[in-house]
């Protein structure tokens, strides 16, 4: 049966709204499960984590799927607790639609508004389901009024009379159709909903399966069918502790054994809660898990997709782990790295100087959950220091920077331009390289290095809201490695930051305070003392509501003060957090006491080489020593054009030289002829050196017609077939052979060699390219062998020719190997 639509929906809500129960009801109604589980009975399909069942909350986003009336529905259950908001936000990038649950007992809460703002930012069509109507004391009319006031006036009850008139008022096009022929075309309603111009509202009880069918019918009816491109594309939105990367396919297809981002996919899994089935192909619109791609990261775009932009919800408090006496931070760091991969919002970092681990957290519940996970994973009970505010930095104006790294036998120079971006833009990397003969491989290495988390020069805080434009670079065929470009690129950014005016950003939080009206005046006084902006909202004789905005560093202990003022009845809730320039930048920078020029791990200067040794040049002198001048040239070469003005006197002298008037009269003495010595001289004949073939392995796999197609399906088989062919050829020709495979991107690679007769198989170590290894191998073997290097890489060809080796293209080697192996096979017959 062909499916009509593939729809990915997310269930979002504040705590205790009934998200997990709602999904259980959907699975039950669609016959995906025979019995609906319950959170309080600890038998729901998605709350299978031990801590989730104990706390009766969702901590980690999970996914399941079911069919509904010939449509395939993928559902993502997101955390509702504010401490895990970053986990919720990461799921939004893959949603086609969202269901916002409202607890009918509470109505719209402050965290509900935070979620609504996130949905608005990601432009996700949204349905509203008001749950727990069976036990609510609020009427349907009161709840609708609350939705219209706090979320949108275009929240429309889809089960009330007169909804057509309200739908007609959504936009002019719908109004025209309704007034002329009394109809509301489905296509126009779908398009308006996709643009978030109206929001369907349904009421019911998930526990009693009331309203769920109507909600699902509405989603499958009003969701636009997505048209996906044939080209492969996907987004990574989650990585679990097992290293499974969860993706949403946004184009093309993907099969096991295919290569994604340089890594072969071992398995593709379709998950239903904790269980999964293996699939042979994932297509556009699917949510699947990938096994065998350890370098993938959350937020990464695959294929034609771009990486996710900076999150709206981020932790703004930093803590350090407190370890038991006698326990070194290095002991638990490997486990912490796993945590950081599955939750990049933690921003875990190991500090070499202090031997400590720092991390960012949203609140106390997240702290308790993390403490438990570390203890279960390492057996070590950790504590936390008191949190401190995380600052960020940006720039006020454009700045140009250069980084040069040239200790002995290393070389790289990188030039960048930094531009300020609007608040919330994050870091953008743009390639505007002006040097036409800079290889694409080197350019990619530089762009990867520029994605490094750069530190500012005011307090050493992370930089944000900056566009980094890579404009030029230079390398050396013999001495440049990937790490050299990483060093130069980071120094270039730091140099540009050091030259310009930096701005310190601090976090500001939108907050809501509920306090007894009798304590209102004292609460307002405290807010005024903390320099907050605020307004008094709904108030009655019992309780008053205050909304406002203030610097997080001034409100870290406000909850305790509010408890004291209100005699335990007040409640302080932080909502969304955004960074803005600090009015107290000067004093905060002075308190930090950060010296950017003394930060050896993030240097602002560069390293140059003279007389066989490297020397350091401080940031304010770097431009006098740099080798490239990309801002001064209008051509696309590595050289600077310099114009000279020729004076009249100099021109006259040149003309006289050309006419011969300046030639001096002098006698030219003829050289004395020397009689040739025709006596016999013994000629020494050098012994013929054995032949050695050096092969760039991966270059052959992607260039040989006989291997390219196989590599797309089964990469390992293609490599083995190459090795078999070279081994047969080498044996028949009785020559030495080296087949070199590039493993410089794999962090686990330590470099390893294997042998098959006279054939040596080499996997380079992490950070070492096959090109660099082959260059060194040619240098080491050129006196012992007649060398033939098989590669189609132009840069490595030039290098080996300069050292006396013979080059062979990939196609030429394939032709020789196939012809020779065919002759050998016929001889065997």
């Amino acid at each position: 049966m062909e499916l009509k639509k593939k729809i990915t929906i997310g269930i979002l809500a504040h705590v205790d709204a009934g998200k997990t129960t709602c999904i259980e009801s959907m699975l039950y109604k669609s016959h995906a499960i025979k019995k609906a589980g319950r959170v309080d009975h600890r038998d729901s399909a998605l709350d299978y984590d031990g801590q989730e069942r104990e706390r009766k909350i969702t901590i980690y986003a999970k996914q399941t799927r079911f069919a509904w009336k010939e449509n395939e529905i993928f559902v993502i259950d997101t955390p509702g607790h504010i401490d895990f908001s970053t986990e919720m936000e990461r799921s939004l990038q893959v949603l086609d639609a969202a269901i916002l649950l409202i607890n009918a007992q509470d109505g719209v809460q402050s965290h509900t508004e935070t979620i609504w703002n996130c949905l608005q930012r990601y432009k996700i069509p949204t349905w509203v389901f008001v749950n727990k109507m069976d036990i609510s004391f609020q009427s349907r009319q009161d709840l609708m009024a609350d939705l219209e006031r706090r979320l949108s006036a275009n929240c429309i009850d889809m089960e009330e009379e007169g909804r057509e008139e309200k739908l007609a008022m959504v936009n002019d096009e719908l109004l025209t159709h309704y007034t002329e022929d009394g109809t509301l075309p489905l296509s126009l309603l779908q398009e308006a909903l996709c643009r978030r111009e109206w929001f369907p509202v349904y009421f019911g009880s998930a526990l009693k399966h009331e309203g769920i069918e109507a909600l699902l019918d509405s989603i499958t009816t009003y969701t636009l069918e997505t048209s996906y491109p044939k080209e492969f594309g996907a987004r990574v939105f989650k990585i679990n502790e097992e290293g499974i990367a969860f993706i949403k396919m946004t184009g093309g297809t993907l099969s096991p054994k295919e290569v994604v981002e340089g890594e072969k996919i071992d398995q593709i899994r379709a998950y239903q809660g904790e269980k999964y089935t293996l699939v042979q192909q994932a297509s556009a619109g699917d949510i699947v898990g990938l096994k065998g791609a350890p370098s993938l990261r959350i937020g990464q775009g695959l294929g034609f997709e771009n990486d996710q932009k900076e999150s709206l919800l981020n932790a703004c408090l930093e803590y350090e782990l407190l370890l038991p006496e006698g326990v070194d931070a290095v002991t638990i760091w490997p486990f912490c790295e796993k945590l950081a991969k599955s939750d990049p919002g933690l921003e875990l970092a190991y500090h070499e100087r202090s031997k400590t681990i720092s991390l960012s957290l949203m609140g106390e519940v997240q702290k308790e959950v993390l403490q438990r996970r570390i203890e279960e994973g390492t057996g070590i009970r950790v504590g936390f220091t008191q949190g401190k505010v995380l600052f960020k930095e940006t720039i006020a104006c454009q700045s140009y920077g250069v980084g040069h790294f040239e200790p002995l036998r290393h070389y790289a120079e990188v030039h960048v331009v930094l531009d300020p971006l609007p608040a919330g833009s994050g870091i953008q990397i743009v390639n505007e390289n002006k040097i036409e003969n800079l290889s694409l491989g080197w350019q990619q290495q530089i762009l990867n290095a520029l994605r490094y988390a750069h530190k500012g020069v005011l307090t050493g805080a992370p930089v944000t809201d900056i566009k980094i434009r890579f404009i030029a670079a230079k390398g050396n065929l013999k001495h440049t490695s990937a790490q050299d470009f990483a060093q130069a690129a980071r120094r270039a950014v730091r140099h540009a930051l050091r030259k310009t005016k930096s701005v310190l950003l601090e976090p500001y939080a939108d907050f809501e305070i509920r306090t007894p009206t009798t304590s209102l005046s004292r609460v307002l006084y405290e807010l005024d003392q903390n320099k907050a902006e605020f307004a008094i909202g709904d108030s009655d004789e019992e309780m008053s509501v205050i909304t406002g905005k203030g610097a997080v560093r001034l409100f870290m202990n406000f909850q305790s003060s509010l408890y004291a003022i209100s005699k335990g009845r007040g409640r302080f809730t932080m909502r969304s957090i955004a960074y803005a320039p600090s009015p107290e930048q000067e004093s905060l920078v002075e308190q930090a006491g950060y010296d950017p020029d003394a930060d050896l791990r993030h240097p602002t200067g560069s390293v140059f080489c003279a007389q066989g040794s490297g020397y350091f040049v401080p940031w304010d002198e770097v431009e006098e020593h740099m080798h490239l001048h990309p801002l001064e040239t209008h051509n696309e070469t590595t050289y600077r054009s310099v114009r000279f003005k020729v004076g009249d006197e100099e021109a006259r002298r040149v003309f006289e030289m050309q006419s011969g008037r300046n030639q001096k009269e002098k006698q030219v003495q003829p050289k004395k002829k020397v009689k040739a010595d025709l006596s016999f001289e013994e000629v020494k004949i050098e012994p013929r050196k054995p032949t050695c073939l050096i092969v760039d392995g991966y270059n052959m796999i992607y260039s040989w017609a006989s291997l390219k197609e196989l590599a797309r399906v089964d990469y390992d088989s293609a490599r083995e077939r190459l090795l078999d062919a070279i081994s047969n050829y080498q044996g028949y020709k009785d020559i030495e052979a080296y087949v070199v495979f590039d493993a410089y991107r794999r962090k686990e690679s330590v470099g390893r060699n294997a042998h098959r007769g006279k054939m040596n198989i080499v996997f380079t170590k992490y950070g070492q390219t096959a090109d660099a290894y082959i260059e060194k191998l040619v240098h080491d073997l050129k006196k012992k062998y007649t060398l033939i290097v098989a590669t189609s890489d132009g840069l490595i060809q030039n290098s080996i020719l300069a050292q006396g080796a013979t080059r062979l293209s990939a196609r030429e080697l394939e032709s020789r190997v196939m012809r020779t192996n065919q002759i050998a096979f016929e001889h065997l017959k």
Side-chain angles (χ1 to χ4, degrees), residues 154-172:
N154 281 346
C155 288
I156 298 175
D157 185 349
M158 298 299 289
E159 296 170 343
E160 71 171 343
E161 295 182 4
R163 64 180 179 277
E164 290 82 3
E165 287 79 2
K166 290 187 177 181
L167 287 169
M169 300 300 294
V170 166
N171 59 41
D172 293 341

Side-chain angles (χ1 to χ4, degrees), residues 782-821:
K782 63 183 178 181
K783 293 181 179 179
K784 185 179 177 182
Y785 294 98
T786 298
L787 296 172
I788 302 173
V789 179
T791 178
S792 294
D793 190 313
L795 289 174
I796 188 67
Q797 286 180 5
N798 295 335
S799 174
I800 59 99
L801 285 171
Q803 298 191 56
T806 303
R807 76 171 179 86
L808 202 63
S809 72
R811 289 185 179 180
E812 288 175 314
L813 179 64
E814 182 182 21
S815 177
R816 289 190 186 185
V817 168
M818 296 306 172
R819 185 170 61 251
T820 302
N821 288 349

Side-chain angles (χ1 to χ4, degrees), residues 485-547:
F485 276 124
Q487 283 280 350
R490 295 168 189 175
R491 291 169 189 265
V493 174
R494 289 280 285 179
H495 178 241
L497 292 171
R498 194 71 176 84
K499 288 171 55 183
T500 191
K501 179 183 178 183
S502 293
V503 179
L504 185 68
L505 306 175
E506 68 171 315
Y508 285 81
D510 290 332
F511 60 79
E512 180 181 273
I513 299 173
R514 292 182 177 271
T515 181
T517 303
T518 54
S519 306
L520 180 62
S521 59
R522 291 190 61 189
V523 173
L524 296 178
Y525 173 78
E526 290 294 327
L527 292 176
D528 187 62
Q529 291 295 107
N530 287 338
K531 303 176 183 179
E533 301 174 3
F534 57 87
I536 302 174
D538 296 339
S539 299
D540 54 35
E541 294 181 0
E542 291 291 326
M543 299 292 290
S544 295
V545 178
I546 307 167
T547 56

Side-chain angles (χ1 to χ4, degrees), residues 432-451:
E432 296 182 1
N433 171 51
K434 299 181 179 182
I435 311 302
E436 65 177 8
N437 63 347
L438 188 68
S439 75
L440 293 176
W442 278 357
Q443 291 184 49
Q444 190 58 50
Q445 289 169 0
I446 293 166
L447 294 173
N448 290 340
L450 290 175
R451 295 187 177 94

Side-chain angles (χ1 to χ4, degrees), residues 49 89 101 755:
D49 180 79
E89 187 181 1
L101 257 65
H755 303 277

Side-chain angles (χ1 to χ4, degrees), residues 40 171 236 265 281 443 560 670 678 756:
D40 53 346
N171 59 41
V236 183
I265 304 301
Q281 187 179 74
Q443 291 184 49
S560 300
L678 301 178
R756 292 187 187 178

Side-chain angles (χ1 to χ4, degrees), residues 27 143 224 227 498 525 554 613 662 682 687 763 777 780 796:
L27 293 172
L143 289 165
L224 275 173
S227 176
R498 194 71 176 84
Y525 173 78
L554 300 176
S613 64
N662 69 329
E682 184 181 358
F763 290 88
L777 194 60
D780 294 343
I796 188 67

Side-chain angles (χ1 to χ4, degrees), residues 370-430:
L370 188 64
Q371 186 180 49
R372 174 86 168 270
R373 288 182 69 187
I374 293 175
E375 186 174 10
E376 290 174 350
T378 66
I380 299 171
R381 181 77 171 178
V382 301
F384 299 89
T385 61
Q386 187 174 1
K388 61 180 181 181
V389 170
L390 279 172
F391 293 96
K392 293 186 180 182
E393 298 181 28
T394 189
I395 58 175
C397 54
Q398 187 182 86
S399 181
Y400 164 68
V402 57
H404 192 98
F405 187 68
E406 193 185 0
L408 187 61
R409 297 188 180 87
H410 294 268
Y411 185 91
E413 183 170 296
V414 176
H415 296 249
V416 299
V417 174
L418 308 187
D419 296 308
L421 292 175
S425 301
I427 298 293
Q428 297 179 11
I429 311 294
V430 181

